Amino acid sequence: MTDHATDKAEVLLAVNGLKTYFNTDDGVVKSVDGVTFHINKGETLGVVGESGSGKSVTSLSIMRLIPMPPGEIAGGEILFKGSKGQPQDIVKMSEAEMRKIRGNEISMIFQEPMTSLNPVYTVGDQIAEAVMLHQDKNRKDAMLVATDMLRFVGIPAPEKRVNEYPHQMSGGMRQRVMIAMALSCNPALLIADEPTTALDVTIQAQILDLMRKLQKDIGMSILFITHNLGVVAEMADRVVVMYGGRVVEEGDVIEIFKAPRHPYTMGLLNSIPRPGVDAHVPGTPRKRLEAIPGNVPNPLNLPPGCAFEPRCKFAIPDCAKAVPPLEDTGGGHMARCIRWQEFAKADQEVSA
Amino acid sequence: MFPFLIRRFFQSLPTLLLASVLIFFVISLAPGDFLTPARLNPGISEQQLANLSATFGLDRPVYVQYFYWMWNLLHGDFGLSFQYTQPVLPVIWPRIVNSVYLVLLNLVFFYAIAIPIGVYGAVRQNSFGDKSINVVLYFLLGFPSFFLFLIVIYLILQVRNATGWDIPLGGMTSGNYDQLSVLGKFWDVLRHLLIPAAVLAITDAAGLTRVIRGLMLEVMRSDYIRTARAKGVSERTAIWKHTFRNAILPIVAGIGGLLPAAISGAGFVEVVYAYPGITPMLLTAITASDLYLIAGFTVISTVLLVIGNAISDILLAVVDPRIKVG
Amino acid sequence: MTAPAVARTSAADSRGMTQKGETLLEVRNLEKYFPIRGGLLSRVVGNVKAVNDISFKLARGEVVGLVGESGSGKTTAGRAILRLIEPTGGEVIFNGTDVTKLSKGQMRDYRREMQIIFQDPFASLNPRMTVSDIIGEAMQIHNLNPGKGRIDRIAELLQKVGLRPEHMRRYPHEFSGGQRQRIGIARALAVDPLFIVADEPVSALDVSIQAQVVNLLQDLQEELGLTVLFIAHDLAVVEYICDRIIVMYLGRIMEIAPSHELNNNPKHPYTEALLSAAPVPDPTIKRQRIILEGDIPSPINPPSGCVFRTRCRYAIDDCAKVVPELREVSPQHFKACIRDDVL
Amino acid sequence: APFVYPAAWTGEQNTANKRGGEFRNYTLSDFKTFNPFTSAEATSIPGTMETGAGLFTQDPRNNEFIPKMADGPAVVSNNNKRFVVKLRPGMKFSDGQPITADDWITTWKIHTDDKVGSNSYDTFFINDKPIVIKKINDLTLQFDFPTQSATALSIMSFAPWPDHVFGKAYKAGGAEAIKKLWGLGTNPSEIVSPGMWVLESYKAGERAVLKANKFYGDWNKDSKGNAVPYLDKYSFRIVADLNAGLAAYLAGQIDVFGASKADDLAQIKKAIDAGNLKAYLKANVSPQATSSWIVFNWNKSDDAAKQALFRDVRFRRAMSHIANRDAMIKLALGGLGSEVYFSTYPIFKDQTDAGLKAGAPQYKYDLEQAKKLLAQIGYSKINSEGYRVNSAGKVLEFNLATNSGNTVREQLGQIFKDEAKKAGVKVNFTPIDFNTLVGQLTAKGEKRPFDAILLGLSGGTNIWPFGVNVVPCGTNLHSYNNPTDGKCLTSQEQLMTKLYYQGDAELNTAKRLAIGGQLMKNEGELQPVIYLVGTNYHVTYNDRVGGEYTPDMMDAYYGSRNIALTFIK
Amino acid sequence: MGQSQLSVAWGQFRKNKLAQTGGVLLILIYVMAVFAPFLAPDGLSSYSTSNITRFHPPTPIQFRDPATGAFTRPFVFKYGQELNMTTFVNEYKPTAEQCPIYFGVRGAAYKILGFIPGNIHLFGTGNEKPDCNVFLMGGEALGRDLLTRTLYASQISLTIGVAAVLLSTVIGLFMGALAAFFGGFVDTVIMRLVEVISAIPGLFLLILLRSVFPQNINPILVLYVILGILAFVGWGGLARVTRGQLLSVREQDFVSAARALGASDNRVMWRHMLPTMTTYIIVTLSLSIPGFILLESGLSFLGIGAVEPYVSWGSLLAQAQEGGLSSLNTRPWVLIPGFFIVFTVGCFQLLGDGLRDAFDPRKRQ
Ligand SMILES: Nc1ncnc2c1ncn2[C@@H]1O[C@H](COP(=O)(O)OP(=O)(O)OP(=O)(O)O)[C@@H](O)[C@H]1O
Ligand SMILES: Nc1ncnc2c1ncn2[C@@H]1O[C@H](COP(=O)(O)OP(=O)(O)OP(=O)(O)O)[C@@H](O)[C@H]1O
Ligand SMILES: [Mg+2]
Ligand SMILES: [Mg+2]
């Protein structure tokens, strides 16, 4: 945490109006269309959203790993305050500079632990590679670091495991290896793109627990992408909700869960059963989930106004006219809905 | 490694055995028997015919003949070539060796051409270079190797007429071969091999290049390459260390299968180039119905192929740790 | 529900036999081993014990959840019950008949009564058939609603699952995941089954779509009085829809209990850990969770005794000795654990 | 005293006594053996090795036989039937063993053992009666001929092969042992030669290199007393076909090329004019001592209709009328060649002239005449496909085979086939393997396995230019009629056989020519073999070699040089 | 509105201009082959033995009268031929005589597709001047018109390969399905056979099989033999894939679904499993045809394929070697048939790639 714990926290990364487009045969896919958010030092920012809403593309844009072509960063800036102290715009960096940041100051772990490790190299090699790249160590020392990292992420018998190949490990194990690799150079920011989605609940619990512990130890910030609201609730300090390539809501995690100001967020929260709370009691009438009607929008053909308008039960004709602005509803809680004030009022009435 | 080799050996035995059965079966389909062509050859005496008939059990049923043949084969006796009135093995062996030279050099070129171009095409996907290479390769794919070779020869003739350079246009050695030093001999053979091997490689490489390009593209899209990039590795490392090694796995697995294709493919060029390899001899053997010689060639090349397959399995085990060895 | 026109087969004659609440399906000691071949002569060198001696009962009209981690044998159990894969051992008694003993022809009649919904909405529909072909195939096989009536029935089914009749002529790839899952449901319903195995019907769907399908299934179940074996690994969903829940681990049943009971009062250490591992979408709740150590052991060589003991924090030496049997510890609540002292 | 090669045998003498170097020849098919007794190839290793070994040799200036291995002219007695020949002393095989009368005796014995199957078998018999050779002493041989023979000196000039190799094996194992000797796998160091060359190395499918027999120079000198040959090596490059040979020649990789087509000459000429090749070229030096022909099989007891057809002289004359020799020369030989109507090659002009004078007929290209003849045989109707059928509806057809890989012969066959079609004859033409073909051609019996074969022959002497194994009945190349008993079928054959031996025994040249004329007349009327065309002889060689004949000595019979006097400039 | 898999693919294919071009060109080539006798100015084997046209150079078509310079009916000059005795080159020189070219002239008789008789040729010099000839692509070794022969050759080159592929596809499918369906012993036997066949180098197996048949069989039979041999050598790969695909499809959910509905094995096989092969088959067919065309041309080139009087592009190329490689210098036009191979194979490849892409869901949006 920062030295002015009471003051506004120090911003590590600020994404302003980021636009990442893909030029496909069928037209331009505006995967990320003016996304703005920031991450403070030491905090965990959860990003949730529909599949295809641009979560991964945002994170890859930050790493500048968008395949170009067909992708391009069409606008906006990504200000990163790395070890140099001064915020630098990642979008404008040279490839060489960028390589120094990747894996070193910002590192990333991915959704599929099964496919994210190179099958033909030992896990030790793969961790050591990052260490050698960024820490000026020879192979032997780097392998020692790798072993330490494996131990650090709780892999038993790391001395042995360091020489094993990915296929010799289970999914949870591999995700730990990924984390070890990502953390091997003490990054300031860890981007985790759905790191537990492919894992079993019990393993997910292990990994989440591990990440929390490591964050405490290292003090890095985490950009945590997921579509599991439970995971967000557990991991995040603040939350960004994305829909159709835009941020539709952003705010403190408790705020978001207690007082969502965007109908999509509301719908999302109501559409999932809560463990324990929603269990069916025989004899009682069954509860109903509040489903969000309709389908995920086609990224090629987003509605002109609010992207959620076609599925929104609160939609009014104005919603379709223009993209609503992202407005501050108070206390850094932002929402992109022209009717947020009404929701706020309704909320107050209910609680009143 | 060793148990793996043993197991590999035992696994290929049935294939070999069955292949020999097939070869024998096919040959015994021919009208008459092995000796029919020999009977027409005044150079082979009745006595010799009778001897052969006995050694190969030709008076017995076909399956017994097979065992005789197999038994002789295992003792290194492939039978008698009726054209040469000599045992098959010493007649065909030098030809096989010659073909193997050509095929090996061809393979070297083959990979030397296909790999860099394929990788380049993948790395610079859809660039002007990639596209023009693709067009050229596409064009080359349509060329039968012998036709390309005829054209190359036509061009070489033009060059030779214009410059007077001594570019070999056939055969395997120059006239003064026997007088050359060891190094000179080596260079002489190499000089003769260069053009056919290269032409062959170019036509074949067209296909492989496209395969490599496709495989590279596929691997480049994979998650672990993204992981590597996220680590901050350089472009070169990402391509050669991480992508390439994975992309060649299917190719390594196919090396064994490549050998027969290469041997077969070399055949056409051997014919055009009047190269003393297997195929020209086989072709004369067909017209002469020199069946033992044909069968001998086929068996040996099958053995070579099975060995090639084993080698590619071993190579695959070396580059891909997921394949268990041992 | 309209009475079918065609005379019903033996299996279906019994349709009236069981009343709501009576046992419709009983699984006894069901086993499914997948042989592993290896070596030179590709002999069987081992077995994947995917489902290892499981027994349970389903009452008519009941929705029962089957949960467990990946590889615990849920799918295998579901398919073995339907004889989509031949069980290695055990009995499946449907409506009084042991279906595992039936011949292929006899089994075909029973297929009308037992249907399945698949997890992957992309792989489960034949991409070369139109929606009406897909749904109509079942009727064609069993010769239901011949002639013009068939189209009407398909249209009716489509409407029932929330699609429009004009979708009939389309091909699967023209639909979104949620819509495809609806087609899959319509296909299962086309033969008026009594019993449906729903194998993770919502796991592959986007969060915002999941609720649509869950609601649909729930409505249909109530409307048609279906008996459902609902397979999932998301405990929250299972608790939400199911009357009772069966918890599996490594091919064995750990615990069976009514949903609310299981949630409030898990009796098996595994269930306890499972419940605790599931993240709760409420940032205000900060729980102390139980983190299971290690990975699931291989089903080829499951641990002796209680298969869970290697990760169990209550494990004692005795756990390795005997396979704990499934005991009723309180009404309707069964568990397979020798330690009654801890939970 | 050594044999001295006359100075006049070279147009340009090796005045500077240039020695060493290699003469690079080529051959079209891979060698099949090193064994002189089983070898049947035109260009063979033993045939090359034995160069310069023979009792007598013909002087290209006047066709006279001069003693070579003989130490002087033969002493003739017994009505020109007995020849006693003294051997030149001091002759040695390439392994240093002396060449003695035993070597001749052994060689003769083996050649005349029919179990060996030597190609020269027939040459040792005259009218089925053997020529007998006796050793008088180590350096004296006595030849007894059954009749007098014009070609006696030529017959006697076979090369002696070492008794210490073959004689030993023959005594021990008979014919089988001989056949096992000197296969391609034999180490060249074990090969022994009586002649100018001995095998040095052989690379299958590539080349054979022969080196000079170091003992040959002991008894062979040039006019200045220098040992010959001047050359060190004589090599054969094995090329796939004539085209490959031409390519090698144009590339300067071989020293001579047997150009036969205008195409070849054009390319050589072009290369010379462009300065890419320094070579000598003289076209149309003479006709070749070779011709192509088609033979019909008279022994087809399994197909009576065909047998009758082939035995019908009208049919064969019709076939000669069908052969468009002019087109064959223009198309297949590329414009340079000679039409042939007799077994006598056009190069033996004296004999052909005598034949024509005697009234030997030439059945020239004339489709109308052919049609008339065929109609006479009974093939008068034409079916829907345009082929002639007889009253029984049988199509007039036969199979014609030639050896594959010889494009000229394939084209000759093609032209013959296409012309035949114009006359309504269906020819099924297939090229097959050479050895198989020869096997079929030389097969004996009542049921020989072919209809018709298109092939060529070369060889024969200029003294009596009829084939000893061709003309007389029962010889192995009497290919139209070769029944088991070897009997003649027609009176003409009988007459030809008789005339053959009569001419062969006639020592007077004019009389011999007249007999030959009669033979040709008979042969022409019988048309047992349809002779087609012959190529012309063109001389071309690389300028690096010298020692060739004077231009007027060059012809297809003697060639362009004596290899002993050839040197590298 | 419904859209089947095929029509989706068709839609994709429609976007691929290159593949469509390939397809259209192929259709044209096949039409050309069918009407070869009509398109060809001459008969397949006709050549003159009186007016020698051996290696006649291509004759340029003239449109202007040389005297007046005015446009006339297109014509070629009649060429005179003489062997130049200093250069030994057979020289062809245009004479003053003009051979007008007519369209739709009568000439050599033929039967299109073997049963439609005719003697009209698209163009030619007619019968009035028998020594007149158009040699658009020059003449070959016997003076036959190379264009005519190339056109005729296309009939064989274009059918043998395709027929062999079709045949081997049928065999491969059948064997693969057998193996997958029966499993066990049948499976083992078939798969072993496939393995064994693929263990013998292809060309040698072809040569081996060819050597079984006598050399001097009927030329038309040779073609069937070659076809059969090619098919026999080629079915293995497809059988293996078919088997694999069927086995994997068997595990797919939609097949399980059908079985859950009570579908019989037959129905599952025919309605659900085999149709999954269509895509694969369409794609492999179109991609392996060029390979087989190349193979056929190769065999003919080696002289074990089409034999006289039949010609294929490969055997025409074999004849191009006549007179030695260096003679190519003086008559490069004999290489032209090779470009027909290249062109056809190229078209098939464009089409095949287009089809593959059209059917590849990954390349689809
Ligand atoms: N390489 C690409 N080419 C074209 N479009 C792309 C590419 N990568 C991503 N997209 C598009 O960008 C949009 C956003 O994708 P993204 O992967 O960021 O979604 P996401 O929010 O991460 O979804 P998920 O939850 O499924 O991971 C999608 O519509 C996707 O189709
Ligand atoms: N056809 C098969 N052959 C061999 N093993 C199999 C087969 N099908 C399943 N298995 C094994 O059986 C075990 C149980 O698999 P199953 O698919 O039933 O698990 P699951 O509980 O449905 O898991 P998931 O949640 O991943 O769907 C696994 O270990 C699996 O690898
Ligand atoms: Mg994503
Ligand atoms: Mg499952």
Side-chain angles (χ1 to χ4, degrees), chain E residues 293-316:
Chain E
I293 288 182
L294 286 180
L295 203 54
E296 185 278 331
S297 73
L299 290 183
S300 294
F301 180 77
L302 294 182
I304 52 178
V307 293
E308 288 275 354
Y310 297 98
V311 278
S312 84
W313 291 330
S315 63
L316 283 177

Side-chain angles (χ1 to χ4, degrees), chain C residues 1-20:
Chain C
M1 208 173 57
T2 47
V6 193
R8 307 226 55 159
T9 56
S10 59
D13 285 338
S14 57
R15 182 165 277 228
M17 229 176 71
T18 44
Q19 297 301 312
K20 191 166 165 71

Side-chain angles (χ1 to χ4, degrees), chain D residues 27 31-36 39-51 161 210 236:
Chain D
T27 179
F31 295 108
K32 304 242 159 29
T33 182
F34 304 147
N35 186 322
S39 158
E41 309 145 85
T43 307
S44 68
I45 299 278
T48 309
M49 293 201 302
E50 70 180 28
T51 313
W161 291 94
L210 298 98
F236 286 99

Side-chain angles (χ1 to χ4, degrees), chain B residues 37 40-48 51 82-86 90-91 94-95 98 160-162 164 166-179 192 271 274-276 281 284 287-289, chain D residues 22 24 30-33 38 115-117 176 179 183-185 200-207 209 233 235 237-240 244 247 250-251 253 270 276 404 431-433 435-436 438-440 442-443 449:
Chain B
L40 289 174
N41 186 341
I44 299 179
S45 70
E46 282 301 321
Q47 183 60 43
Q48 235 171 327
N51 286 344
F82 305 125
Q83 295 173 90
Y84 292 80
T85 59
Q86 273 185 55
V91 172
R95 301 302 192 107
N98 289 352
R160 222 160 71 158
N161 284 351
D166 178 22
I167 309 172
L169 273 185
M172 186 181 168
T173 52
S174 304
N176 58 350
Y177 179 75
D178 289 309
Q179 282 101 63
H192 280 80
V271 170
Y275 184 84
M281 183 177 251
T284 19
T287 42
S289 310
Chain D
E22 172 180 335
R24 301 164 306 170
D30 203 351
F31 295 108
K32 304 242 159 29
T33 182
T38 58
K115 290 204 199 67
V116 174
E176 287 308 311
K179 284 202 256 183
L184 287 187
E200 180 184 66
S201 67
Y202 166 71
K203 203 159 182 302
E206 280 281 295
R207 86 172 44 71
V209 180
K233 302 247 159 90
S235 66
R237 184 190 183 88
I238 298 159
V239 292
L250 291 177
Q253 293 163 345
K270 194 172 161 203
N276 295 326
S404 55
I432 63 176
D433 171 62
N435 287 318
T436 313
V438 172
Q440 295 184 355
T442 55

Side-chain angles (χ1 to χ4, degrees), chain C residues 75 119 199-200:
Chain C
T75 301
Q119 169 174 9
D199 189 357
E200 310 208 25

Side-chain angles (χ1 to χ4, degrees), chain A residues 22 24 29 31 50-57 67 70 111 194 227 299:
Chain A
F22 289 95
T24 68
V29 179
S31 301
E50 202 87 357
S51 171
S53 59
K55 307 184 293 290
S56 298
V57 172
Q111 172 172 1
E194 312 201 16
H227 52 234

Side-chain angles (χ1 to χ4, degrees), chain C residues 34 48 50 68-77 119 200 233 299, chain E residues 251:
Chain C
F34 293 103
V48 178
E69 285 172 276
S70 184
S72 57
K74 308 181 294 291
T75 301
T76 310
Q119 169 174 9
E200 310 208 25
H233 54 233
Chain E
E251 302 300 319

